[in-house]
Amino acid sequence: VRVHAPGATATVRSEAETGAVCITVEDDGPGIASNERERVLRSGVRGSTASATGSGIGLATAAETMKDQAGTLRVTERAGGGTCVQLTLPAAIALHKPNVDLPRSLVAS
C-alpha cells in the first residue's frame, strides 16, 4: 500500500458480507476533507492535504474500476482521524444465482 502521508500507517482488511466482499483501506494520516471526498474520485484531482508527489489518478482509477465491476468505492473519515476507503464488490457466488441482474461485463459469454 502506498501511503500518501509521510509517517502514516495504513491498514488493509477484507471481509465477506452477504453477496459481497468488502476491502477496507485505512490510514492515520491527515485525512481528506469531507467537502473533497467526491472530488478526489475525479481523474487529476488531489486532496488539499496531499503531501507526496502524485498525479491524482489512483482513486479515480480505482473508483472507475469498481463501477465497471458492479462495485462501489467510498471515501470516509477513519475513526480517530485519517482516511477510510471502502471497496465493495459482488461476491463471485452471485454470478451463479438466477434472477440477479448483473452488468454484461460480469456475465461470461
Side-chain angles (χ1 to χ4, degrees):
V1 173
R2 181 175 166 217
V3 180
H4 75 278
T9 301
T11 304
V12 180
R13 67 178 187 275
S14 63
E15 61 185 306
E17 298 176 352
T18 303
V21 174
C22 182
I23 301 166
T24 302
V25 181
E26 295 180 315
D27 73 31
D28 59 359
I32 299 173
S34 60
N35 63 335
E36 295 181 338
R37 291 182 190 146
E38 286 297 319
R39 199 169 62 84
V40 298
L41 299 179
R42 290 189 237 142
S43 186
V45 176
R46 300 183 69 216
S48 61
T49 61
S51 58
T53 60
S55 55
I57 63 170
L59 284 173
T61 301
E64 189 64 30
T65 300
M66 295 303 292
K67 182 179 174 184
D68 289 347
Q69 300 303 317
T72 60
L73 183 147
R74 289 185 328 148
V75 178
T76 60
E77 183 177 355
R78 174 186 165 267
T83 300
C84 175
V85 177
Q86 190 174 55
L87 304 101
T88 305
L89 285 165
I93 194 71
L95 293 174
H96 302 289
K97 291 184 179 179
N99 304 319
V100 175
D101 294 323
L102 296 173
R104 293 181 64 82
S105 64
L106 292 180
V107 179
S109 310

